[in-house]
Amino acid sequence: MIEVKNLHKSFGELEVIKGVDLRIEKGDVISIIGPSGSGKTTLLRCMNFLEKADVGMMTFDGKSYDMSRMHRQDILAIRKKTAFVFQNYNLFFNKTALENVTEGLIVGRGMPKNKAQEIGQALLKRVGLENRQDYYPSELSGGQQQRVAIARALAAEPEIIYFDEPTSALDPELTQGILTLMREMAEDGMTMLVVTHEMSFARNVANKVWFMDNGIMVESGNAKEFFDNPQDLRTKAFLRMTEESTEK
Ligand SMILES: Nc1ncnc2c1ncn2[C@@H]1O[C@H](COP(=O)(O)OP(=O)(O)OP(=O)(O)O)[C@@H](O)[C@H]1O
Ligand SMILES: [Mg+2]
């Protein structure tokens, strides 16, 4: 479904992505893990063209693109098939939960308002917020705001959803709720690429894991094999460190 070859990205002198290759199949649930500053967010942002790559080729649904010279209409065409869920939710603060979900349908797609509202209500129900549709983000907990953001992502009917640490701003109880929702989405067959520190999600929900270190995709593979039998020394060191920190 998506293939990226030889992706490079620098900020000034600092090379942050150093020639990454990757491949995503329909239905994949992929966790990206790795130390802070290793380039995980930058990788996701390059893949959705929020950041312009210096070098890289992307094939998306059989069409190839030079990621360093994207035409605006190609970016828009790809973004129609993708959605993004951020750590800090990125909701519109002056819109209700329902309006946050329907905005893209009404303004972006020109869907009639009543149809969009029907879809929005169903999606809010799907994420467990049927009685919060008229609340503003400031009246919702972090976990509820993230549920709205996920409902908004689902509204776009994307082929893939990119998540950047969707639970890292949340308390442990709220985190579990969001992880459960993401697990259900995975079971429904949604293709997902998830930057996460939640090793239980990476181990138990994802089918593949990518480990990034210092701008390089050090190791990638089947999630179970990755955790049971990591190959690279850097992966082993990272996994040992995360185990120690969860034991504390
Ligand atoms: N807009 C920017 N301008 C300059 N440097 C940047 C910019 N965005 C990221 N960087 C640098 O790129 C490197 C990788 O950052 P990135 O946010 O991709 O890391 P990350 O793996 O997502 O880390 P974390 O786990 O802490 O979120 C860091 O050294 C960061 O300082
Ligand atoms: Mg990040």
Side-chain angles (χ1 to χ4, degrees):
M1 182 176 133
I2 302 177
E3 198 168 7
V4 170
K5 290 236 178 263
N6 196 30
L7 178 66
H8 287 262
K9 173 70 187 173
S10 298
F11 293 108
E13 299 282 285
L14 181 71
E15 193 174 18
V16 173
I17 306 285
K18 302 173 181 171
V20 162
D21 295 335
L22 57 87
R23 195 185 164 84
I24 304 169
E25 313 280 357
K26 193 168 165 15
D28 271 346
V29 178
I30 301 172
S31 288
I32 309 181
I33 62 175
S36 182
S38 56
K40 306 180 297 293
T41 294
T42 307
L43 174 68
L44 280 197
R45 291 176 58 84
C46 286
M47 289 188 66
N48 217 19
F49 312 102
L50 297 166
E51 209 69 74
K52 185 163 160 282
D54 300 323
V55 180
M57 290 298 295
M58 174 183 280
T59 308
F60 197 121
D61 288 344
K63 260 190 97 180
S64 289
Y65 305 90
D66 179 342
M67 296 173 80
S68 65
R69 297 167 210 219
M70 292 294 293
H71 295 292
R72 195 169 157 69
Q73 67 266 34
D74 288 335
I75 292 180
L76 293 177
I78 290 177
R79 283 204 190 136
K80 277 207 179 118
K81 303 180 184 185
T82 65
F84 223 109
V85 174
F86 301 88
Q87 176 177 0
N88 54 1
Y89 333 125
N90 277 29
L91 298 176
F92 297 113
F93 272 86
N94 58 348
K95 293 192 190 303
T96 63
L98 183 61
E99 288 166 349
N100 265 283
V101 178
T102 57
E103 174 81 4
L105 297 176
I106 297 168
V107 177
R109 303 212 176 167
M111 190 182 280
K113 196 170 168 189
N114 55 357
K115 175 108 197 289
Q117 281 176 337
E118 235 171 72
I119 293 173
Q121 281 162 350
L123 286 171
L124 286 174
K125 182 156 188 245
R126 165 80 188 78
V127 300
L129 288 180
E130 60 266 56
N131 43 29
R132 291 286 186 279
Q133 63 176 50
D134 297 324
Y135 284 54
Y136 287 89
S138 60
E139 300 167 327
L140 297 170
S141 73
Q144 290 169 338
Q145 290 183 60
Q146 195 59 297
R147 287 170 192 271
V148 175
I150 290 172
R152 178 176 62 180
L154 289 169
E157 296 189 323
E159 291 180 20
I160 181 168
I161 304 181
Y162 299 114
F163 295 81
D164 192 1
E165 300 200 28
T167 60
S168 62
L170 300 176
D171 296 338
E173 317 88 90
L174 298 181
T175 294
Q176 279 318 313
I178 296 295
L179 291 176
T180 302
L181 177 58
M182 289 172 64
R183 176 195 280 267
E184 290 165 5
M185 289 161 69
E187 285 164 358
D188 287 346
M190 178 56 77
T191 309
M192 297 158 64
L193 186 55
V194 186
V195 173
T196 185
H197 291 295
E198 295 293 335
M199 291 301 142
S200 65
F201 181 88
R203 190 189 269 270
N204 301 320
V205 182
N207 64 328
K208 295 179 186 165
V209 178
W210 298 346
F211 173 63
M212 282 193 75
D213 191 20
N214 199 13
I216 292 169
M217 193 74 80
V218 171
E219 190 162 342
S220 59
N222 169 284
K224 194 169 159 21
E225 282 165 23
F226 178 92
F227 283 103
D228 290 345
N229 191 16
Q231 299 296 314
D232 194 280
L233 282 178
R234 287 167 288 187
T235 317
K236 290 180 187 173
F238 179 78
L239 291 178
R240 212 174 308 123
M241 208 177 63
T242 51
E243 272 164 26
E244 279 165 16
S245 66
T246 35
E247 276 164 16
K248 265 178 210 157

